[in-house]
Amino acid sequence: MTGSTPQRDLDHPHDLVGIGIGPFNLSLAALAQGVPGGLTTAFYDQNPAFHWHPGLLIEGSTLQVPFLADLVTLADPASPWSFLAYLRSRDRLFPFYFAEKFHIQRAEYDAYCRWASAQLPGLHFGHQVDAVRWNPERALFEVDFTQLDNDGEAEALGRAYARNVVLGVGTEPYVPEPLRPLADAPNVPVLHSADYLHHRERLIAAEHVTVIGSGQSGAEIFLDLLRARPAGAEKIHWLARTEAFAPMEYSKLGLEHFTPDYTRYFHSLPEQARNDLVPRQWQLHKGIDTDTIAAIHDELYRRTLHGGWPEAVLTPGVRVRTAGRVATTKVELHLEHVQQSTRSRLTTDAVVLATGYRERPVDRMLAGLDPYLRHDSAGRARIDHEFRLVLDASVTGSVYVQNAEKHTHGVGAPDLGLAAWRSATILNSLTGKEPYPLPRRTAFTSFGLERREAPTIPAQGQELTPLAQS
């Protein structure tokens, strides 16, 4: 394994180094190309190529945001990296126009992002970032990485120098504690929804399948399996901890929680108020699209037309206490109904965990920055209104974050609709200019009481106007 640091890298550091190439850093890379005067950038990702949730690109599944929530449009509608520019490059503008689709399929969004990632300069796939440090003598960040070969094995070591860094490492699948031993064991049919399509045929062939999770992914997987299994022999359970299979909040005023206005309001709240608020807003981003709920009910109803009920069980309000293997091929789930305070067991041939995602840990990668980091009372990184980690004043560069700031910026952190605005905010902050003018107001809702100047006290002897005549 070899590695070197050319003198040129030291003399000409990057303006910005990005860690991770998901949709958010891809948005930043695209908008960085439009900054007047240019920025020197490099983005690194350990994966061999861009792919967006490949295990969940179920046929017919759509984005939960309009196509305008692409990489760039809400910050720069004239950008050459927009979804419409992608369609034009594929001679598909007119078909899209006549299709009248405001919400595009996930597979099409993935294809669009792969198109952008194949053409944008400065993207380095197959590069695993190992450490980030601040070099006070050079006033630069050092970013150490390992170049990987086609098999994912280490091939060479390298180092990049940057004035600023942005973390966009995304999230990773979350597996509840009772099911981790089974999910980690080889040849046990317990898998996360992120891998669903890779195991779809096996799941369809299984005698009985259990889906756990009440969000959009769980609903889409339940519907896909239901449609693929014969009427009268569906043999599928859908379980969830939530009290209901609830629709996502999708009213027009409700959606204003995903505006820059709300993001700024949320960031201004005291830490404890933010902590209390996020769990209560689960239906803004963890519910189920109403069209998917309707499609599930329609499919279940269709199977009752000739008498009888489908062999499908949908039960909310249930948690998995423990789980284990039965014989060599089955799984036994020990369940508890929270409201009833009752317990039961369920034997199944396969389990799909649509249990969501958690922020990917970066403690090891950022260990070199730990002396400079500032934390809140819960030990989380403090993040300012421009998406920068709050660092010691001796650090003259900035570390920005993407989709790791829900605790400081609210439920919009993982939302694709805010990607371009956040990228533009970061670039405005980084350059100290305004290459992307941003809107002053984005919502009809005023989320807090406006701060008003205190009323002036009349001078002594000045006549007061009565509020009411008696």
Side-chain angles (χ1 to χ4, degrees), residues 221-238:
I221 289 171
F222 175 80
L223 178 60
D224 188 58
L225 290 173
L226 182 64
R227 286 171 168 168
R229 298 169 79 82
E234 293 84 3
K235 294 186 177 179
I236 180 171
H237 270 64
W238 184 16

Side-chain angles (χ1 to χ4, degrees), residues 82-409:
S82 69
F83 177 70
L84 293 180
Y86 160 72
L87 291 178
R88 183 179 61 184
S89 74
R90 296 291 192 264
D91 288 333
R92 296 181 57 228
L93 266 177
F94 273 92
F96 180 75
Y97 168 62
F98 290 118
E100 297 184 342
K101 298 292 185 182
F102 200 50
H103 291 78
I104 62 175
Q105 292 195 18
R106 288 184 187 174
E108 187 165 27
Y109 178 79
D110 175 63
Y112 155 63
C113 288
R114 286 189 283 112
W115 164 80
S117 69
Q119 299 183 81
L120 280 166
L123 304 187
H124 304 277
F125 291 97
H127 287 66
Q128 174 185 291
V129 172
D130 304 309
V132 179
R133 291 181 300 277
W134 174 249
N135 185 327
E137 295 180 359
R138 297 184 180 273
L140 293 171
F141 291 103
E142 298 176 345
V143 181
D144 291 346
F145 59 82
T146 302
Q147 186 172 343
L148 309 175
D149 61 20
N150 293 333
D151 297 321
E153 298 296 327
E155 188 173 57
L157 300 177
R159 177 176 294 170
Y161 289 86
R163 297 183 180 89
N164 303 280
V165 172
V166 58
L167 299 176
V169 296
T171 55
E172 61 184 7
Y174 170 72
V175 177
E177 186 65 38
L179 290 155
R180 287 179 189 173
L182 294 177
D184 293 337
N187 303 319
V188 177
V190 176
L191 59 107
H192 193 273
S193 58
D195 299 317
Y196 170 68
L197 285 185
H198 307 313
H199 300 273
R200 182 175 182 271
E201 297 306 317
R202 177 187 178 190
L203 293 167
I204 290 173
E207 183 177 355
H208 184 278
V209 180
T210 300
V211 178
I212 299 176
S214 63
Q216 183 68 19
S217 296
E220 290 177 351
I221 289 171
F222 175 80
L223 178 60
D224 188 58
L225 290 173
L226 182 64
R227 286 171 168 168
R229 298 169 79 82
E234 293 84 3
K235 294 186 177 179
I236 180 171
H237 270 64
W238 184 16
L239 308 175
R241 289 175 61 97
T242 54
E243 297 179 355
F245 297 106
M248 185 175 293
E249 169 57 65
Y250 207 76
S251 65
K252 293 181 179 180
L253 289 179
L255 288 176
E256 290 194 340
H257 287 83
F258 300 96
T259 59
D261 281 10
Y262 183 76
T263 302
R264 287 188 288 262
Y265 160 76
F266 186 90
H267 188 271
S268 71
L269 294 174
E271 179 185 331
Q272 189 57 52
R274 296 196 303 254
N275 293 343
D276 294 341
L277 193 53
V278 169
R280 301 204 304 266
Q281 294 179 322
W282 66 270
Q283 211 165 335
L284 286 170
H285 60 107
K286 291 185 178 181
I288 305 169
D289 175 78
T290 54
D291 289 341
T292 306
I293 292 177
I296 289 172
H297 192 275
D298 290 347
E299 181 64 27
L300 292 169
Y301 178 73
R302 184 182 66 80
R303 292 169 183 246
T304 69
L305 297 182
H306 302 291
W309 289 72
E311 198 173 348
V313 178
L314 293 72
T315 310
V318 173
R319 72 179 186 95
V320 178
R321 295 174 49 249
T322 59
R325 298 177 67 170
V326 177
T328 58
T329 61
K330 294 183 181 294
V331 174
E332 184 176 82
L333 302 174
H334 296 201
L335 309 176
E336 179 179 17
H337 194 282
V338 178
Q339 293 178 345
Q340 287 183 325
S341 297
T342 55
R343 295 180 176 181
S344 66
R345 298 181 180 183
L346 173 65
T347 301
T348 186
D349 294 280
V351 179
V352 182
L353 301 172
T355 46
Y357 297 79
R358 295 293 186 274
E359 292 178 6
R360 198 179 302 276
V362 294
D363 296 352
R364 179 180 297 181
M365 184 193 304
L366 298 184
L369 294 180
D370 194 61
Y372 303 101
L373 286 170
R374 298 295 177 259
H375 300 87
D376 64 15
S377 62
R380 301 165 300 193
R382 290 175 56 196
I383 302 170
D384 73 12
H385 67 286
E386 293 181 324
F387 303 97
R388 293 177 299 192
L389 295 179
V390 177
L391 303 172
D392 185 84
S394 64
V395 180
T396 56
S398 295
V399 178
Y400 298 91
V401 295
Q402 302 229 57
N403 193 15
E405 72 282 6
K406 185 184 290 184
H407 64 291
T408 57
H409 288 69

Side-chain angles (χ1 to χ4, degrees), residues 20-30 45 50-53 69-72 109 112-113 168 170 402-403 414 416 419-420 422-423:
I21 308 176
F24 297 136
N25 265 356
L26 196 60
S27 165
L28 188 61
D45 194 290
F50 182 95
H51 284 290
W52 184 71
H53 295 302
D70 61 12
L71 301 175
V72 294
Y109 178 79
Y112 155 63
C113 288
Q402 302 229 57
N403 193 15
L416 293 175
R422 179 170 53 198
S423 294

